[in-house]
Amino acid sequence: MHGYGPMPQQPTTSRPSPATLTTVRVILVALTVLSCGLLGWAPMLRLAIVTRRPRDWFLLVVVLALNIGLFVFIMATPDDPDQMSDAAALFMMLWILGLLAGVITYYLYAEIRHYNTLGAPAPYGTPVHPAPPLPYQQQHIAPHQQHQQHQQPQQHQQPNPYTAPTTPPTPTPAPQRLDQVRAELDELSDYLRKENKDSRDGEGR
């Protein structure tokens, strides 16, 4: 193992454009107000999905329970306003106003704060620079590069098997060889001279 590759970057949550966020907020607030708080669970559901925090999911359940209770209370009141008591009318009015104020205020505050923590969206066409490697990655990658640099000179020093080996030059004859040949020629001439002398002596007799 010579080292680890670059660590995969964690996916970041993309932030919608400000115009999109404003449009969604206006629509959800308008639905909550026009429904007298009965659709107050809609902005809380969006907030819980966006932030994914347990507290927001818990508040969604609370608001949904309040919406169901308000709907049941409205259905239980008489249709004729004259038959409704003042206490019941005041209680229902406070319930609706408290639900509207709580849901709209908390929804806008929590969502704006959530997107502010993500930072401003990058403009179109801005190059994204990769994150620098971590220190332990540099420690693992550096020995690997050094090992490759040590291997490259060794590969250049290996002989090429396809080139013919060069033969060493033949040594020149030493002077002792010339002296030996000269001595042999002298011995041969002496021997021939002796043979000629012996043949002449035999003919003279």
Side-chain angles (χ1 to χ4, degrees), residues 31 38 54 71 98 108 125 153 160 173 184 187-188 192:
L31 287 176
L38 293 177
F71 179 76
L108 295 177
N160 190 357
E184 291 178 357
E187 290 178 3
L188 182 59
L192 293 175

Side-chain angles (χ1 to χ4, degrees), residues 48 51-60:
T51 60
R52 298 181 181 180
R53 291 186 298 183
R55 182 180 64 181
D56 294 334
W57 287 105
F58 173 75
L59 292 178
L60 170 63

Side-chain angles (χ1 to χ4, degrees), residues 34-47:
L34 293 177
S35 63
C36 296
L38 293 177
L39 294 180
W41 56 268
M44 298 302 297
L45 177 61
R46 168 177 166 76
L47 181 63

